[in-house]
Amino acid sequence: MAKKKKKTPPPPPQSVGLPAGGVETHAHLDMEPLDAEVDAVLDRAAEAGVSRVGQVFLGPEAYEAGKELFENRDEVFFIMGIHPHDAESVNGASLDAMAQAFADDARIKAMGEIGLDFYRDWSPFDAQRIAFREQLSLAREKDFPVVIHSRDAAEETLEILDDMGFADRPVLWHCFGGGPDLGQEIVSRGWFASIPGTVTFPKNEAMRRAVAALPLHAMVLETDCPYLTPIPYRGRTNEPAYLAFTAAEVAHIRDVEPAAIWRATAQNAAAYFGITLPDTA
């Protein structure tokens, strides 16, 4: 019987050859299994060129429970908001807790991820609409950027943002997965699109066309780890280091060098979140 050939292991993220200074705009490092090895995960990210990481807390309770994980990791900044799956937890007390956290902690740079999720029936749609509007009102009152979650709800998400006066306000469309038309809707309002690892999936043709057409000044990168792991690590737990493969694929789609995408998206993220990048000169 012929011996089975051993599978060649995927290349490490640092093989992409990206310089320090990259920004991962959307990570859930307080979730299993990443929460058990936060320092090691961040060290691996740094080896792959990721110098800043946006840690997303899904509500004030998650923020209070998880913020100490990053006490000694200055490269991490925070994003906090109540996910549409938890829309029914949005009330006066939770909004007050969010407002207090925004005032007290300068590491919180944006409200998110907030929005609508009509793909899974995990929260009543009417409750999602109310929760979305109430959080947008708070973000507008505090002049905070927002990070949007929209799944199977793009049209209504746009309608609510327009109705709440968010055209030309700081809006980042998290985990962009639409086609060129949605990309144009986002860009025409002066917003940003965040590109996840799903851009590496060959069947995502509409998304790849959108990424080719988006202006580079309106684009940032994310992993949404521990989810949405890019090729060549698809099927494993995602982590910020794998952002390198997303950058490489975006560069391939746009026929430019990966380092150009890396630097431009990092500068976009720094401007959006009001963070500083390391001096890599």
Side-chain angles (χ1 to χ4, degrees):
M1 182 181 292
K3 291 183 178 179
K4 289 184 179 179
K5 291 183 179 180
K6 290 184 178 180
K7 289 185 178 180
T8 304
Q14 56 266 37
S15 68
V16 178
L18 294 172
V23 179
E24 146 77 298
T25 64
H26 200 106
H28 297 280
L29 302 184
D30 60 329
M31 292 185 177
E32 296 179 350
L34 300 176
D35 61 338
E37 52 167 347
V38 165
D39 287 328
V41 167
L42 290 170
D43 289 345
R44 291 195 293 269
E47 291 173 2
V50 178
S51 297
R52 298 289 183 266
V53 176
Q55 159 60 30
V56 181
F57 291 110
L58 299 183
E61 291 184 2
Y63 162 74
E64 292 295 341
K67 63 182 179 180
E68 290 185 1
L69 289 170
F70 311 97
E71 189 173 8
N72 299 315
R73 303 301 305 222
D74 292 339
E75 71 268 41
V76 178
F77 61 95
F78 297 159
I79 300 160
M80 190 256 284
I82 298 176
H83 192 283
H85 290 335
D86 302 314
E88 291 177 296
S89 71
V90 175
N91 53 39
S94 60
L95 291 170
D96 287 347
M98 290 171 64
Q100 191 63 53
F102 297 155
D104 292 345
D105 192 346
R107 295 181 77 174
I108 305 177
K109 302 297 185 181
M111 178 187 291
E113 56 194 273
I114 64 173
L116 303 173
D117 192 313
F118 295 166
Y119 177 76
R120 299 192 187 281
D121 189 14
W122 289 358
S123 184
F125 293 173
D126 282 344
Q128 292 187 39
R129 295 179 179 105
I130 293 168
F132 189 24
R133 286 179 177 273
E134 289 184 341
Q135 290 182 93
L136 287 174
S137 292
L138 178 59
R140 188 173 56 196
E141 176 188 337
K142 302 299 181 183
D143 197 25
F144 246 56
V146 295
V147 176
I148 300 300
H149 175 108
S150 181
R151 192 171 187 191
D152 284 6
E155 183 176 350
E156 188 161 350
T157 302
L158 291 169
E159 289 176 357
I160 290 175
L161 286 165
D162 287 345
D163 184 56
M164 296 289 291
F166 272 78
D168 296 321
R169 292 185 66 87
V171 172
L172 175 59
W173 198 281
H174 148 64
C175 202
F176 176 83
D181 290 346
L182 179 58
Q184 178 57 34
E185 294 281 5
I186 291 168
V187 170
S188 70
R189 290 165 170 81
W191 301 341
F192 287 76
S194 186
I195 311 304
T198 50
V199 73
T200 66
F201 300 175
K203 292 184 178 180
N204 281 350
E205 286 297 333
M207 179 184 179
R208 295 161 71 85
R209 291 196 305 274
V211 167
L214 283 168
L216 187 52
H217 67 76
M219 186 187 303
V220 299
L221 304 177
E222 68 166 272
T223 63
D224 198 23
C225 64
Y227 313 110
L228 306 182
T229 311
I231 293 171
Y233 283 83
R234 188 176 185 181
R236 306 187 189 188
T237 299
N238 201 3
E239 61 178 81
Y242 298 160
L243 193 71
F245 299 113
T246 301
E249 185 59 31
V250 171
H252 173 71
I253 291 168
R254 298 174 70 92
D255 195 24
V256 298
E257 290 297 317
I261 297 297
W262 198 239
R263 294 189 183 98
T265 55
Q267 290 167 359
N268 295 341
Y272 188 82
F273 290 107
I275 60 174
T276 58
L277 298 177
D279 184 359
T280 57

